Each structure stands twice: as C-alpha cells, then as structure tokens.
Amino acid sequence: MGSHLSAAATDPPRIGFRMLLALGAAGALLAAVAAAVALAGDMPHDVGLAERQAVIVAIPIAVGLYAWRDGTHARFGVLLLLAGGAWFLAAFSSSSNEVLYSIGRVAGWTVEAGLIYLILAFPSGRLTTPIDRVLAGAAVAVAAILFLPTALITETYPAPSQFATCASDCPGNAFMLLGSEPAFLDGFIVPLRELLATVIFLAVVVRLAARILGATRLMRRTLVPVLLFAMLRTLALAVALVLRRAGAADSVVEVATAVIALGLPALCIGFLIGLLRWRIHTADCLVALAHGLRSRTEPAERRDLIAATLTDPTVELAFWRGDDGGGWVDADGQPMSLPPPSSDRRATLIFREDEPVAALVHDTVLSDQRSFVQAVGAYAFVWDDNRRLAERVESSLAELRASRARILAAADDERRRIERDLHDGGQ
C-alpha cells in the first residue's frame, strides 16, 4: 500500500493519572535534592544557586509530564523527562564534594549533547531529516570522543560552568587516573573540542532558523516559541566558549554561564508554550473543518477545505475499497496509488478496527504533524462515510416509498376486482 504513517504504534501510551502523580512526586523530590546539594555545597551564591538548580530540574519534568499526558507529543514528553533526570545529575556539580562535583560535570557534558537532540527532535521526538541526524550525531560524537574520556586525565574541569558558580576554587577531579595532566590536553584537545562544539552550536542555530523559515504557517505556531529560545541559548553557549578561550574576565563568563543555565527552564517553558499553542490552534482548525464540511457537497470542495486546514494545497484524499477487490480510489472513485518511499509525498493512513479505510496524501513537511493529519483525515472519512450512508438511506427510502405505492395500487386493483366480482355474481 505504499509508504504511510499509521497510528503511532511505536509511541509510548498515554500516561495514567496515578503514574502522573507518582512521576510528579519523584520530580519534586529530585528538584528538592538538587537544591539541597547546592545549599550544602558551599558554592558562591549558594542560595540563588539552589533555587536555580531546583527550577532547572523541576520545569523540564513538569513540561514532560504534560506532553506525555496530552498524548499527542508523548514521545517528546518522555525524552523531556529523561532530560530532567540528566539535568538532576548535572546539578551535582554545585557540590563541594569531589565525587559529586565530578559526576555533575561529566553529566553536564552529556546534557548539552542530549539537549541538541531534544531541540532538533521537537515536537515529534524524532530526528526526521538527514541534517538533523548529522548535527545530533556530531554533538554526541564530540562529547563521546573529546569530552567524556578527558575526565580520566584532567586535574580540573573548565570553570565556570552553567551548573556551578565556582571559578578558580572548584573541587578537583575525582576520576583522575594519571599522576599529572598531559600537556597535549590543554594544548590540543581542549581547544579542538571547544572549536568543534562552537561550530556545532552555530550550525544548530542556522538549522533552527531554517526550520522556522521552511515550516508551514500551522507549524510555526509550535516551533517559533521553542526555536527562538533554543537559538538564543545555543548562541550563548558558543559565545561563552569563545569568551572562556579568549581569557575574558571571570565575571563576564559567569554572567554568560548564568544566562545559559537559566536558558534551560526558559527553553522548557518555550516547549510548553509551543505545545499549548499547537493544541489550541488544532482544536480550532478541527471545529472549523467540522462546520465547513456541512456546506461542502462536492468532492473537490471538501478536498480544498482539507487542504486549507492543513495549509497544503497538494492534499489528496484516498479511500480503500476492500469490498470491490481491493485498491485505493480517489474522492471521485477513480483508482489511485499511494506515493512510494522515495517520493517527497507521504500518506497518512486512517484506520477503523485496525483496517485501513482512508488515506491523506500530503507533502512530507506535514510528517511532523502526524496526529493532526490523522485527525483531519478521520474527519474527512467520517463525513464521506456518513454522506454515503445518507445516500443509501435515501435510496432505501425511495425504494420503500415505491414499494408501498405498488402495494397500495395492487390492493386498490384487488379491491376493485372483488367489488366487480361481487356485483357480477349478484346479477
């Protein structure tokens, strides 16, 4: 039947209310522990740092629970919950204990690579284009090859960081295996990894700007609040690396790292705003579609209405005719086929009792809006199905009226015949 996007069988199921409460309580506990670690860590500005760490951990978990509970973006919600857990580990870098501090700094490197994946995968939770996969893969590769292994050979971690407020008096590295730090680390590895990280950050900024410009009008309602925050924070990361490498004053770098740290909850709030705008707008679109279908009697008019709802003028409707030997037909009943995988078109299938009954053929840009496309397709199929049922009912009523007329006519004929026979017999 060609390439298609079926119901989200690989997406996590919607979270139950009890599980929601349990995960919410766990998130609150993690936020409290992160704040307690900061308060006990004897870092500069420990009170403000504790509040910051609690917010950094709590907000992504809360937004992730909302996205998972909503169901439409459940996969992304799960990823955001995992990110909140990783940010909890990164919050250990506010501790004065060498082991906890080292765990937090290593987790912080992982967090930044994961955050790039999270930004590029919004809102579907998947990397849908090759360029997104390349950027996410490059971020993971740099973190895995040039950052994480250096935890075994460095005496101290670069400071300040977005998860701590210490500068020159930070705890040492508890994972150091060598007697002294190799000269090539600070002379070659650190500059190289910071250069590559800066290039990746700037490339992500360019990619996010391209996504906004290339998105449909409908999708911009979801993307703009998120990607603007993401672009600002990613750009701030690149600037902070350059400032630290250039030997800027500690106070300047500390301000940049504080902005980066607060950019995490701001980014999550952007996620929430985008999801809420998406939910409200799609609900309005579906209501307008339901009302509009009432006045559209021709297949071309219904197709134009659906195309306007999806902001894709190339939309085609297809229906599965299993009772007539199988195969797809268009709205006029003419045979058609779904696009192949190599095409720049996609088909979102509509199911009834696990059987395909209809499909919407659309531009591949709408692949990120699968749930909305499925809802629009379901509306179109239900309306078409109801129209055909109404036509059958009208046809049956017409046949019933004709049958009643024939019965009444036959009864009249029989009555007149009996009257005539009685009259003739009496004579």
Side-chain angles (χ1 to χ4, degrees):
M1 293 187 295
S3 64
H4 64 273
L5 295 173
S6 61
T10 59
D11 288 347
R14 290 185 61 171
I15 185 173
F17 184 70
R18 291 183 178 178
M19 181 63 73
L20 178 70
L21 290 179
L23 291 177
L29 178 61
L30 293 181
V33 171
V37 169
L39 288 174
D42 198 26
M43 287 276 178
H45 314 293
D46 53 354
V47 175
L49 180 60
E51 297 171 347
R52 193 173 80 186
Q53 301 291 49
V55 168
I56 288 174
V57 174
I59 288 184
I61 293 177
V63 177
L65 288 174
Y66 168 78
W68 192 358
R69 177 67 176 172
D70 176 58
T72 305
H73 302 96
R75 181 182 175 88
F76 183 80
V78 172
L79 292 178
L80 204 51
L81 283 175
L82 295 176
W87 293 341
F88 165 72
L89 293 177
F92 285 176
S93 59
S94 59
S95 173
S96 57
N97 179 276
E98 285 192 354
V99 175
L100 292 180
Y101 175 79
S102 300
I103 292 174
R105 293 305 305 270
V106 172
W109 290 338
T110 307
V111 160
E112 295 302 337
L115 189 59
I116 289 178
Y117 180 97
L118 198 65
I119 293 170
L120 295 175
F122 181 79
S124 65
R126 295 178 174 84
L127 300 175
T128 56
T129 65
I131 184 63
D132 291 339
R133 289 189 283 270
V134 168
L135 288 175
V140 172
V142 170
I145 298 174
L146 297 178
F147 278 87
L148 295 180
T150 62
L152 303 177
I153 59 175
T154 186
E155 294 179 352
T156 59
Y157 295 94
S161 80
Q162 58 268 37
F163 293 101
T165 54
C166 62
S168 58
D169 55 345
C170 295
N173 177 22
F175 303 142
M176 177 69 168
L177 297 180
L178 304 180
S180 61
E181 183 177 294
F184 69 85
L185 179 61
D186 194 52
F188 176 71
I189 298 297
V190 173
L192 175 62
R193 74 187 186 188
E194 292 184 352
L195 173 62
L196 292 177
T198 302
V199 170
I200 292 173
F201 291 147
L202 294 177
V204 170
V205 171
V206 173
R207 170 57 184 154
L208 297 181
R211 282 194 68 185
I212 293 177
L213 294 176
T216 63
R217 178 175 55 84
L218 177 64
M219 199 61 185
R220 285 197 188 103
R221 293 177 175 269
T222 302
L223 291 179
V224 169
V226 177
L227 299 191
L228 286 180
F229 281 119
M231 290 168 64
L232 292 175
R233 186 184 183 277
T234 307
L235 187 60
L237 272 171
V239 171
L241 288 176
V242 172
L243 289 176
R244 194 166 64 187
R245 175 53 50 183
D250 288 344
S251 59
V252 176
V253 180
E254 286 174 5
V255 171
T257 53
V259 171
I260 295 169
L262 294 175
L264 287 174
L267 179 59
C268 293
I269 292 174
F271 288 143
L272 179 61
I273 293 173
L275 294 176
L276 288 174
R277 292 186 69 188
W278 167 262
R279 186 170 186 177
I280 293 171
H281 184 69
T282 52
D284 291 342
C285 286
L286 292 176
V287 170
L289 176 65
H291 285 289
L293 286 173
R294 296 179 181 178
S295 59
R296 268 66 170 185
T297 57
E298 298 297 327
E301 293 178 333
R302 293 197 300 275
R303 192 212 69 83
D304 291 342
L305 179 62
I306 293 170
T309 303
L310 294 175
T311 64
D312 180 8
T314 66
V315 162
E316 296 178 80
L317 298 177
F319 300 93
W320 180 251
R321 294 293 181 256
D323 296 336
D324 301 328
W328 292 99
V329 297
D330 60 19
D332 296 320
Q334 300 299 316
M336 67 174 294
S337 58
L338 300 187
S342 58
S343 172
D344 59 353
R345 310 271 292 155
R346 291 293 182 269
T348 296
L349 297 189
I350 311 302
F351 289 86
R352 182 174 62 186
E353 298 178 354
D354 298 328
E355 293 293 331
V357 291
L360 277 180
V361 181
H362 53 78
D363 192 282
T364 187
V365 174
L366 290 173
S367 297
D368 285 341
Q369 306 167 38
R370 176 174 55 184
S371 297
F372 180 55
V373 175
Q374 287 174 342
V376 171
Y379 268 65
F381 168 74
V382 168
W383 183 261
D384 183 79
D385 207 29
N386 289 343
R387 179 182 58 82
R388 285 186 279 109
L389 288 175
E391 290 176 353
R392 291 178 184 174
V393 170
E394 287 294 334
S395 176
S396 298
L397 288 175
E399 291 179 1
L400 179 60
R401 285 192 290 266
S403 177
R404 290 179 62 185
R406 288 193 298 270
I407 291 173
L408 290 174
D412 287 342
D413 292 342
E414 184 64 15
R415 179 177 56 80
R416 285 191 292 270
R417 186 187 65 79
I418 293 173
E419 289 177 350
R420 187 172 55 253
D421 289 347
L422 290 174
H423 181 268
D424 293 345
Q427 287 182 339

